[in-house]
């Protein structure tokens, strides 16, 4: 007994030289079958193997005791207990070793208990380091909390690392705060005893900054849903701060039309992505108001239609809009080159103060049908002008806005109509330029001269032709729409043939002076060649679509009672690429 007591005291002394403070749940304990034996593993190491008919139950009981060790539970002792020997940890018996287990392992109970105690002591005392992640990607200015787990619990050593890129600090015993300071890459070594792990941190700039809230103003009775949608998108685009080379994606869902005085608001999904920075996405709160504004009729018509067929890069048109002025612009160009071109219509603020502009835009996508795309632009623009529908765009000092940037395949045509009124600030410059798809936009600055074709290019007077006429039953009447010859280039005096982009407003008085009812109709004849035509008849849109040369179609028909006098208003715009003038005839059946 004295020898046994001495050995026990010596083993206790050796096993007792262990740091204190192990957390109960810090150790992983597992039970697994190994042939006819059941092994108990602590922190991945086999501590003991139990054999016999009840070894599975006993192994689970041992594992349960090990899982619930109190703090300081790595103090392991071997204690004789009469006919058996106990292995204790933190003063609690973990397992008793009798002769049955000792004979199975060809040793004595005390020898087997000592072996198990040494293994348990080693497993409980092992220093282990766990990191949930070894890679972080952070935007500049952001931070991330990383949980660092250790066995036994303790605080590892950190560093050295590049403190120009990141800053690291402990916020708790096992919580490491990593703060991204500047763009770059840094490795953060973490050491705990003989163990070392490493966190690699990539710090990147963000592709942009999203605003919390933006506001937009629209006009119109009503403002169509697509106008409200475009105003919302432009407001977000204006407020987002994107890095150079970033791509902005604004994808609003369904947005309703707004009547005067109505307000719509909602979260608009917005994303900024870049190959050189981290993407940013979220929802921007957009508030759109339909507000009445004093809109003036345009004082000038800007036409960019020469050269109509584009082969080389350059600036096709450039004009300055003074403060307070309202202008209309028509552009129509075909890609005559063998590769894709990009046509850009740009509005630039020339002053060091902000500017506000009211826009009415009709910019259909590029199409291979030159007459069809001109018709699409004119039809939509006619609706916008009739309803007074548009939106307000804000331009920062010396800033610019590209309200049309369209990629045009070979043989395709770009056509558009725009009406701009400077509400505040100015002057502004409006320009139309074209470049090959791989050429940088800022590299195109030279102006392209007009070719010898008759297509118009220049600045003309107010784009309005008004006609008043009395149409009587029993008399004939006809008008050539697009043949006013009253608009001339303000610089060269050249007549605008065809009145393309000009509003024709016809105020007609239909009269039946007879004593019998009479059926009358207004008919359009494609008198000059193939043409498209669109009319507003007392505010209702009538799309005549395509007319072959010499063909006619009815715009309006009515039955006039005896002595009836009826006013009628027709509004139309000669459409780019169609053959104008067309003839409008009054016929009585």
């Amino acid at each position: 007994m004295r020898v046994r007591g001495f050995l026990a005291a010596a083993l206790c002394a050796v096993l007792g030289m262990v740091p204190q403070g192990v957390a109960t749940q810090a150790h992983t304990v597992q039970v697994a079958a190994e042939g006819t034996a059941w092994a108990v593993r602590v922190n991945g190491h086999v501590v003991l193997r139990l054999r016999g008919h009840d070894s599975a139950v006993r192994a689970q009981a041992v594992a349960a005791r090990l899982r619930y060790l109190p703090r300081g539970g790595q103090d392991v002792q071997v204690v004789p207990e009469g006919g058996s020997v106990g292995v204790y940890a933190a003063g609690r018996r973990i397992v008793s070793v009798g002769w049955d287990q000792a004979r199975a392992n060809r040793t004595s109970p005390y020898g087997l208990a000592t072996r198990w105690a040494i293994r348990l002591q080693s497993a409980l005392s092992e220093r282990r380091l766990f990191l949930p992640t070894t890679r972080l990607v952070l935007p500049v200015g952001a931070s991330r909390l990383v949980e660092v787990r250790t066995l036994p619990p303790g605080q590892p050593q950190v560093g050295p690392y590049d403190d120009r890129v990141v800053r690291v600090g402990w916020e708790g015993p096992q919580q490491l705060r990593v703060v991204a300071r500047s763009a770059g890459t840094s490795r953060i070594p973490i050491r705990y005893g003989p163990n070392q792990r490493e966190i690699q941190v990539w710090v990147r700039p963000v592709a942009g900054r999203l605003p919390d809230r933006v506001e937009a103003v629209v006009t119109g009775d009503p403002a169509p849903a697509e106008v409200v949608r475009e105003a919302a998108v432009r407001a977000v685009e204006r407020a987002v701060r994107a890095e150079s080379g970033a791509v902005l994606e604004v994808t609003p869902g369904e947005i309703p039309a707004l009547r005067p005085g109505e307000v719509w608001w909602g979260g608009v999904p917005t994303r900024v992505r870049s190959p050189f920075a981290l993407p940013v996405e979220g929802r921007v709160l957009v508030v759109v108001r339909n507000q009445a504004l004093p809109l003036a009729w345009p004082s000038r018509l800007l036409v960019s239609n020469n050269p109509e067929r584009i082969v080389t890069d350059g600036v096709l048109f450039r004009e300055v809009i003074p403060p307070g002025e309202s202008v209309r612009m028509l552009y129509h160009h075909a890609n005559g080159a063998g590769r894709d071109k990009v046509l850009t219509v740009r509005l630039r603020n020339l002053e060091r103060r902000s500017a506000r502009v009211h826009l009415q835009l009709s910019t259909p996508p590029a199409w291979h049908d030159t007459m069809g795309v001109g018709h699409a632009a004119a039809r939509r623009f006619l609706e916008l002008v009739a309803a007074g529908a548009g939106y307000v765009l804000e331009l920062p000092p010396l800033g610019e806005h590209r309200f049309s940037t369209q990629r045009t395949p070979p043989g395709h045509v770009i056509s558009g109509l725009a009406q701009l009124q400077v509400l505040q600030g100015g002057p502004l410059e409006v320009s139309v330029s074209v470049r090959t798809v791989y050429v940088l936009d800022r590299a195109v600055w030279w102006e392209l001269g007009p070719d010898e074709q008759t297509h118009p290019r220049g600045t003309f007077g107010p784009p309005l032709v008004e006609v008043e006429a009395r149409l009587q039953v029993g008399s004939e009447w006809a008008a050539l729409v697009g043949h006013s010859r009253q608009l001339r280039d303000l610089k060269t005096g050249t007549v605008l043939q065809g009145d393309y982009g000009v509003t024709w407003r016809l105020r007609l008085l239909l009269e039946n002076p007879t004593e019998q009812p009479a059926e009358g109709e207004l008919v359009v004849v494609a008198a000059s060649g193939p043409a498209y035509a669109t009319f507003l008849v007392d505010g209702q849109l009538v799309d005549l679509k395509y007319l072959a040369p010499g063909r006619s179609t009815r715009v309006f028909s009515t039955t006039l009672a005896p002595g009836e006098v009826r006013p009628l208003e027709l509004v139309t715009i000669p459409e780019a690429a169609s053959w104008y003038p067309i003839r409008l005839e009054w016929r009585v059946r």
Side-chain angles (χ1 to χ4, degrees):
M1 288 298 297
R2 288 183 179 179
V3 174
R4 286 189 176 184
F6 175 78
L7 291 175
L11 181 61
C12 290
V14 172
L15 298 180
M17 296 186 296
V18 180
Q20 302 295 309
V22 174
T24 303
Q25 52 274 49
H27 304 289
T28 57
V29 182
Q30 298 172 320
V31 176
E34 293 184 357
T36 59
W38 285 84
V40 178
R41 290 189 175 92
V42 177
N43 295 333
H45 299 281
V46 175
V47 171
L48 57 89
R49 292 182 178 88
L50 296 172
R51 293 174 172 82
H53 68 279
D54 61 346
S55 57
V57 176
R58 294 183 62 191
Q60 292 292 350
V62 170
R65 297 184 193 110
L66 290 170
R67 290 190 185 102
Y68 292 96
L69 281 178
R71 292 186 179 276
Q74 64 213 51
D75 182 10
V76 181
Q77 295 177 337
V78 176
V79 179
E81 298 175 335
S84 63
V85 179
V87 177
Y88 284 73
R92 298 184 180 185
R93 187 177 63 182
I94 303 300
V95 64
S96 292
V97 182
W99 280 104
D100 56 340
Q101 294 295 324
R103 291 192 188 97
N105 287 275
R106 298 179 180 181
T107 184
S108 66
Y110 196 84
L112 182 59
T114 303
R115 186 189 309 168
W116 286 356
I118 293 174
R119 289 178 182 174
L120 178 59
Q121 180 70 81
S122 176
L124 294 177
S125 304
E126 181 184 9
R127 289 196 172 193
R128 306 185 72 187
L129 177 63
F130 304 92
L131 294 177
T133 182
T134 58
R135 295 186 177 185
L136 292 179
V137 180
L138 297 176
V140 175
S143 68
R144 181 77 60 84
L145 200 60
V146 179
E147 182 182 2
V148 181
R149 294 192 300 114
T150 59
L151 288 178
Q155 195 171 86
Q157 294 179 331
V158 178
Y161 54 86
D162 190 344
D163 58 4
R164 297 170 301 178
V165 177
V166 295
R167 184 177 68 249
V168 177
W170 292 100
E171 290 195 1
Q174 295 184 329
Q175 289 184 321
L176 189 66
R177 173 72 68 179
V178 180
V179 180
R181 305 186 67 179
S182 62
T185 304
S186 179
R187 297 177 181 271
I188 304 175
I190 300 177
R191 291 180 300 277
Y192 189 64
N195 299 284
Q196 178 169 319
R197 299 290 185 271
E198 189 175 74
I199 302 176
Q200 189 168 6
V201 184
W202 286 270
V203 180
R204 298 291 182 264
V206 292
R209 304 284 181 182
L210 302 184
D212 295 327
R213 170 190 170 115
V214 297
E215 295 190 7
V217 173
V218 297
T219 61
D221 189 10
E226 54 266 34
V227 171
V228 180
R229 177 188 177 92
E230 186 172 354
V233 171
R234 295 291 177 260
V236 174
E237 289 176 345
R238 183 183 68 250
V240 169
R241 299 292 178 261
E243 292 292 317
S244 178
V247 176
L248 174 61
E249 299 172 355
V250 185
T251 55
E254 294 213 6
I255 297 180
L258 293 181
R259 296 198 171 276
E262 290 184 339
V263 179
W264 174 87
W265 61 272
V268 174
T270 305
R271 185 185 184 203
V272 188
R273 54 186 178 86
S274 168
F276 315 108
L278 297 178
V280 177
E281 57 184 309
R283 286 182 172 268
V284 178
L285 177 62
V286 180
V287 180
V288 184
R289 307 175 188 275
N290 189 333
Q291 180 180 331
L293 294 175
L295 301 180
W297 190 260
S299 59
R300 292 186 293 164
L301 173 65
L302 316 179
V303 180
S304 177
N305 187 217
N306 192 331
E308 184 179 51
R309 184 173 178 272
I310 303 168
V311 178
T312 59
D313 297 350
V315 178
L316 298 164
F317 184 87
R318 196 194 310 268
E319 187 58 87
V320 174
I321 309 173
E325 188 182 18
S326 175
V327 300
R328 180 179 297 176
M329 182 177 193
L330 178 145
Y331 56 92
H332 187 91
H333 297 280
N335 183 1
R339 61 186 68 212
D340 287 6
K341 295 283 188 180
V342 177
L343 187 133
T344 302
V345 182
R346 180 185 287 104
L347 189 63
R348 189 160 62 95
N349 186 0
L350 302 178
E351 290 294 318
R352 297 183 180 277
R353 56 175 178 167
S354 299
R356 298 176 73 240
V357 187
H358 182 266
L359 296 177
Q360 293 171 292
L361 305 175
S362 179
T363 56
W367 200 8
H368 60 82
D369 182 352
T370 181
M371 293 175 60
V373 70
H375 172 62
R379 183 186 189 279
R380 181 68 187 132
F381 187 73
L382 193 62
E383 292 180 301
L384 294 176
V385 173
Y391 62 91
V392 176
L393 175 72
E394 296 188 9
L395 286 173
L398 302 178
E400 67 174 35
H401 173 68
R402 304 175 188 186
F403 55 76
S404 179
T405 300
Q406 299 188 40
R407 183 166 179 160
T408 313
H412 282 54
V413 182
I414 291 289
S415 189
L417 279 158
Q419 198 151 293
L420 306 87
Q421 180 173 337
V422 183
L423 303 175
Q424 177 183 325
L428 309 177
E429 180 188 77
V430 61
S431 63
V432 181
S433 62
V434 65
R435 60 180 173 86
T436 307
V437 68
Y438 56 77
V439 176
L440 293 177
D441 184 63
R442 61 177 178 270
V444 178
W445 53 268
W446 58 91
E447 295 193 10
L448 294 179
D451 58 26
E452 296 179 356
Q453 302 296 321
T454 58
H455 301 296
R457 170 177 174 175
T459 303
F460 300 84
L464 177 64
V465 174
E466 295 186 291
V467 175
E468 293 186 2
R470 181 184 291 268
L471 282 57
Q472 289 187 333
V473 173
S475 64
E476 295 182 352
W477 177 88
L480 286 176
V481 176
H483 192 64
S484 71
R485 299 184 63 84
Q486 71 181 47
L487 275 75
R488 294 180 177 271
D489 190 306
L490 300 180
K491 297 178 182 178
T492 66
T494 304
V495 173
L496 178 64
Q497 302 289 347
D499 293 341
Y500 296 103
V502 176
T503 298
W504 272 66
R505 182 178 292 127
L506 300 97
R507 294 188 177 94
L508 307 177
L509 202 61
L510 310 183
E511 183 178 356
N512 181 11
T514 71
E515 296 180 356
Q516 299 295 325
E519 294 184 1
E521 63 181 8
L522 287 166
V523 176
V524 167
V525 182
S528 303
Y532 281 87
T534 309
F535 282 80
L536 287 173
V537 181
D538 282 341
Q540 297 298 313
L541 186 74
V542 178
D543 187 348
L544 302 182
K545 300 185 179 178
Y546 176 77
L547 287 173
R551 299 296 297 271
S552 64
T553 188
R554 185 172 59 239
V555 181
F556 170 80
S557 64
T558 186
T559 299
L560 296 174
E564 181 182 358
V565 177
R566 175 177 176 177
L568 180 70
E569 182 181 75
L570 274 65
V571 178
T572 188
I573 296 177
E575 302 180 0
S578 288
W579 292 74
Y580 275 77
I582 58 175
R583 189 167 65 250
L584 182 65
E585 298 180 355
W586 166 248
R587 298 176 182 178
V588 178
R589 291 177 291 178

